[in-house]
Structure formats: C-alpha cells, structure tokens
Amino acid sequence: MIQPDSYIRSLLKRAPGDTVVAQGWVKTRRDGKNVHFVQLNDGSSPVDLQVVLDAGVAPGDVVARITTGACLSVEGELVASPGKGQAVELKARALTVHGAASPEEYPLQKKKHTLETLREIGHLRPRSNTFGAVFRVRNALTGAIHKFFQDRGFLYLHTPVISTSDAEGAGSMFQVTALDLDGLSRSGRPADFEQDFFKRRAYLTVSGQLEAEIFAHAFANVYTFGPTFRAENSNTPRHLAEFYMIEPEMAFCDLRDNQDLAEAFLKSQVEQVISACRPDLEFLSKWYDPDLFKNLEGLLSQSFERITYTEAIALLGKAGRNWEFPVHWGADLQSEHERYLTEELLLKPVIVTDYPLEIKAFYMRVNEDEKTVAAMDVLVPRIGEIIGGSQREERYDVLRDKIRAMAAHGMKEESYWWYLDLRRFGGVKHAGFGMGFERMMMYLTGMKNIRDVIPFPRTPGNAEF
Amino acid sequence: MIQPDSYIRSLLKRAPGDTVVAQGWVKTRRDGKNVHFVQLNDGSSPVDLQVVLDAGVAPGDVVARITTGACLSVEGELVASPGKGQAVELKARALTVHGAASPEEYPLQKKKHTLETLREIGHLRPRSNTFGAVFRVRNALTGAIHKFFQDRGFLYLHTPVISTSDAEGAGSMFQVTALDLDGLSRSGRPADFEQDFFKRRAYLTVSGQLEAEIFAHAFANVYTFGPTFRAENSNTPRHLAEFYMIEPEMAFCDLRDNQDLAEAFLKSQVEQVISACRPDLEFLSKWYDPDLFKNLEGLLSQSFERITYTEAIALLGKAGRNWEFPVHWGADLQSEHERYLTEELLLKPVIVTDYPLEIKAFYMRVNEDEKTVAAMDVLVPRIGEIIGGSQREERYDVLRDKIRAMAAHGMKEESYWWYLDLRRFGGVKHAGFGMGFERMMMYLTGMKNIRDVIPFPRTPGNAEF
C-alpha cells in the first residue's frame, strides 16, 4: 500500500539523493539512446514523476511491457531533474511490471480523446489527466464543504434516501419497490403496495430539507450532504437523474442571515479548493476554460448583489431584449434571465429574493405583502442558479392552510403531521438552502457537461458501471 | 442564526460577567420563591445552560409559556453558578418565547420514555438527551472517518446509488423504476424494462466496491462513504433496509496491509470520538452501557488477534459447546461463533482470515491452496463482525473462469466487462474492506438497537418521516 510519504505528489517534493519506491501507471514512455523515459502517475498529482530507466536495468521483455497504462513499481534514487516543471526525477535501479496494457487493446492511449469518448470508458477515464484533476477537485470540494459547516458548529446528518412522501412536488420521482414486477404484470391485479416492503409506495428522495428542519429544531444549525434523484427525462448537459445536494438548515435564522451564509459558503468553497488544488485548476483552465481563475477570483473579491424579484423583473423589462420567455411579474425567471442579470448586467453573483408566492414551494414563508415569499436564488456567471433557498413558514395556521389549499394538487394534510408538529411544539423562525454539488463542480472546474464532474453519471438510458 | 461563540457549549465555557444571548429549547423548568430556573439546550452540548429568571423580568403570561419543549431567546449576564456541573448560569434580563409547547399536547415531557416510544416520534426524539448524544457522536464519527482517510491521502468518491448490476449477489435488492406500476398491472403485459428510465432493470446499490476498484486503479488509495440497501425482510435490532457503508480500496495492497489498515481505522475512530465527545459517551455509558469505556479502551490498548478460519474452526471445536450451528471446516461462522471467539476466548478484537472459497464472494483472491480465499472479517466484542474485506482476485484468467463457473447462478460474463478490463489493463494486486457505519455507531454508543443510531430508520413496514 502506498504510504503518505510515497505518493508521487510527495516524491516530487523530496530531496535528490533519497532512495524511494514509486508505484503507479504509465502515462507515456519515450526512448532515447540507451535510456527510456517513463512518465509515471499514481493519481495523487497532475504532474507525473519521470522515471529514467537506463538500458540494461530491466531485461528487454520487461521493458517491452512498459507501455501506456501499464502498472509499475520502480525502486531507485531521486536525482535533480534537468527538465523543467519538476525538481527531481527517479533513476531506476529495479522495476516490476504488475500488469501490462496491450497497446493494441488499451483504449486510453496518449492521443487526446473527446470527453464523449471518455464517457464510454468510465472505468478507465479516471486515469486520464482531465479526470484525475476533476476527481481530485471533487474530493477537495467535499472536504471544503464539511470544513465550512463544522467550523461553524453545524451538525451533519444523513437524511433518508428512501422516502414515502413526495416532499414538495419537486418533480418526477423514482419509485422503489421490492415487489416482483414480472409477477405483478402477469397477475393482472392492481399493484397492492400494502404487500410491498414498506407497506406503502416508496420513492427516492428529491430533497432532505423537511427532515433537516426536524434536526434544526433540536441542534439549531445542521446540514445534509447526500444523493438526491429526479426521474425527469432531461437529456441535457445540466441534468442528472442522481446527483448530490448540500442542504443547511438553521433555526433562529431569517432570509438575511440565510443570504449571508450562502455567500460565505460559496466564497469559502472557492477559496479552499483553489488553495488545495491550484495545479489541477490550472490544468483545467488551460484545456477547458481560459477564464476560470478570472471567474473564481471575481466571486471571491466582490460582494454579491442582492435584489428582489420585483426589481429583477424591472431590470429585465428595461433590458431591451427579445426574451424567449416573456418577462412579467408573476412569471418564473428562466435561465436566459438569470444569466443576463449575473453575466451581462451586474457582472457578479446575484441573490434574487422575494419571489411570487404562486411560483414557489408551499413551505416558504409568506411575506407581509401576502403576494411574495421569503425565497432566494443565488445566481453566478456561467452556471446561473447554483443555490435555492428560503425562510420557512413557521406559523402553524398559515402553513396548515396552505397545505389544505393544495389538497386538489394531491397534498394530504395527514402526510405532513410531523412537519406541522414542528410548528406546534417549540417552533421558531428558520431558514435554509440547497446547493447542487455538481453545479458547483462545473463552476469550479470549467467543465461544461455535468456528466464529466461525477464518477458514474446516471441519465436517461444510461446507468453503466 | 446562532454563531459559533454563542452555542450553549461555548457559553458554558465563558467567563462570568459577559452579556450574551442564549437560544434553544426548554428541557425543564422549576420554580423557586420569586425565581424560575429554566434548563435551556440548543443541541450543542449534553449539558444544559441554566437560566435564572427573577420574578418580574417577564410578564406572567410569558412565564406561563416557558414549559418543556418551548423555544426561547434569553438575553442576560453570565454569572458564576452555585450549582455543580456548570461554571456559569445565565441571569436573564429579557426573554422571548418563539414557540410554546402545550404541556397537554407535547409528547416529549420530562419523564423518561422508552426508546421504542421515542421511535414513534422521530421528529421530536432528536431533542431528547439520549438522541442529542447519539447524533453528536454520529456527526463526530463521520468527521473522524474522513480525517483518517484524508490524512493518509485517500481520495473520496461517490459511487452510484442506482445500479444496473446485482454486484455480488449480496442479497435482495430494491428495484428502482419510473414505470407506471398501476398501468403495468392493468396492462397484463410483461414489464418492458426497455421502456424504463435507464432502458433496463435498475436497483439500489448493495456495495460501492466494484466501482471503488475502478478508482483504486487510477488514484491508488480511495474510499467511499455512502448509503447502501438490502430488501431483506429482517426485523431484527441489527438490520436496516438503508444503512451507510465505508469502503476503502487500495492498489498495491495485500491482505496483510488490509488488516493493518482495518485495525488502525477502528482504533482511530474510537480515539477521535472519545476525544470529541467524551461527555456524550459518559452520558450514554451511564444510561445504556456501564462497560462502554472499558470496551472502547480495550480496543485501543490491545493488538488485534489474527487467526485463520482454519484455526478458528479448531478453536471452536475445542470449546466444548453445544453450538446451534454445527462447527466444521467449510461452514460459515455464525454470530454465536464470532462472539465466542472475541468475547469469551480471546477477549479482544479478532481478525479471521482465509475463509473457504465456497462461502465467499467471487471477487476474492484464491489462495495458493486453491481451497481458501484471501478474505478477512474483523470481530469485536458485543457487535461481532464489524468489518469484512479481502484481497481481490487480480488475475484475469482466474477471475474470468470464476465468473463463467457461476453462470448457472445468473452471473453474466458480459455484465462484468469493465470489471475484467481492470485486470487486462494495468492490473495490480489490491484489497479493501467494508465497514457498516451503524454497526460502528452501536459499538461506540452502547445502543443496542440499530434503529436508535440513525436519524430516520428504514425497516420492513416502516419508512415514516
């Protein structure tokens, strides 16, 4: 097993003269006169370790197996490197090929592949430079998120993946069943979910918010970070059927505190990931988005603009554009509107608040005007909406009446008994938001297709690996 | 929003004389002559803050609403406390009741409830002392696990929740579908999964191991930490339908390294959680398991015993017991055998290795004797098996032949094309293990029912909240 001081990332920082063992996979090999140069990588760094293998150190049949993709252990001495971009290289004294990779068959050869092609070989793409960088950023971002909340004393909780409530009517849900579906169709009888595992219909969760509210009424500041699901048939570069959400929820918190937290949260993630993964971001910027650092540093250096929905509608009306989706008070903001505000008009992240009651979820707190709710969406350049949140309706009567009014849309008051109970017993103003983790990954890496920032994407017709 | 320096945990450490605002929920109130004593808690600490409310500070109708479960903000001055168990108490100058909790209706009154009763009110039990402690430990344990692996340079990855392969035949799986099941049963036609969301049958994952192996062949040392599922109709105190697993996977790693890592991992978790949550563990020990610290410290102070399955069978044969499940070479170890070894015979954690090939999963590496595989189970007192792992079969031919031999059991070679590819392209010896997170929670907290260590348990017939 590779120990911390033997990762290639660590070896590259060590002093010439040290005897070490390097282990990893061959990126490329080129041959000089009486010498072979092997670029070795173990996934710990975007920079390879150059192995210098003098002729005669390994027998010819071993050398023949040192091709792109092969797995090696190399023992030798670190020496000062004459090449640029690395301080040391490894002069091999002994070498083992653990597993070869036939050049005729190994799909991940040196030549550059399209991202589409790499998706087809999801079991090999983590070894590419691009996905090495992406998944190191993903690891660092996960850590940054936990650090942000833990530093503030938030309690992390796992909300359930299997749910029996269509929490907020947030979209199409996958059904989860242990019934024999072949038997069901043969039987010709109606499905009897009383006989199913949970004795009723069960779904994959679309949000952990309602359960997070439970915990916020006991631990004050809490957050979730887990998988969520949508069974929407959206074959776009921005949608996944399975993706990750972070959902903080805070008691004693109003919409203003909520905005402050969201802004601090986004800035902290960018700052921590730049600090942990600068070489990876530099690689990604070079190949995928020359403006990456400009965008990230722009987010760090500016205060987010805060405007109400009503102000946003006025600004959009004055834009002098032919919008695909017409702009009027009461209409939801579409991607074209959001991106205009953040990318063209205000040139910075924007928080839009206080949306019309009719277009937002039932749990959002009704404002004094009784026409809007204390909602907020955070928009950033290039991505659009990256965070959505609200202050929650904490008034028992108001919430109960809203649920009752939605009975025609299939909402059942009795399904929300525990959610209503939070307002009967020690209720308090509270607020929270959700951030799509993969949206943030796209923002941080400059990748343009959401399938390229998650290890194994699930999309319509696709759940390989 | 409560800021880090204003959690009750922080207030309890501050100096007398400070003016502060405390916010939280009332645990209890008792009345003296011209004074009320209110125990306030915000979930940050097992110790409440005592609020001293002199008569006249708040009007009578406000005081009347200060009952168990009510939510308050209290402004006042910290003063030295004459009581024991706390250095300071809060002398109230002003007080707001955000939400009352009618003593006639609020179910979580002062009297001690059974854990069974508390399960019925899963939306309120986080406010109880017991579940406050349990979920603080759960939060700390999650952090400890990430810290252990990140300190060693492991890459964290999210393996998919929705899977199209019955990975290892590890047990009954939940099916995931977007088909209209009511329509399906009415149609009388066979279910056509070509028409389903993923164009084939899809399931909830039982393990992320196979996908973690992909990443171990790119990043060397990796781990997962996510939800896994079993549709087994097991109504026991040890089984959940939805639970969390941690699965590290390491390239360049054999069974011995794997055992070393598992032992270091368990010790690190215990050490970190004792350090982060000693007052919570003391509370849990007092009420649920007087031997808790003895067990935990026993694990820390001893080297784990390491024996082979063959040795274990010999020891069990010499035990002079009437086993419910007879002991003979080739039979799997049952809970009674595991617990005898660790609790009665060896009195310490035990790692049993090298199990018969026939009773272990297809991916485990065949030993030279061709009768056993390089498997390991880690057994600890009171829990039994807490970790299961193996060195993986890295030899392409051996693995392919094993998969082919299981064709009669429904295994299809073509489903494992990518898993076999890992052995064709840069393969290397590698190993890993899985730890059930909730089993570890039971071990750490002394709780005896697995439903009491997860926020919202999913079990047969039960997916409320």
Side-chain angles (χ1 to χ4, degrees), chain A residues 354-374:
Chain A
D354 303 298
Y355 285 74
L357 188 153
E358 284 77 11
I359 60 173
K360 288 290 185 181
F362 76 96
Y363 51 71
M364 296 188 179
R365 192 178 197 281
V366 179
N367 287 326
E368 280 186 24
D369 61 17
E370 296 194 354
K371 290 188 300 189
T372 60
V373 289

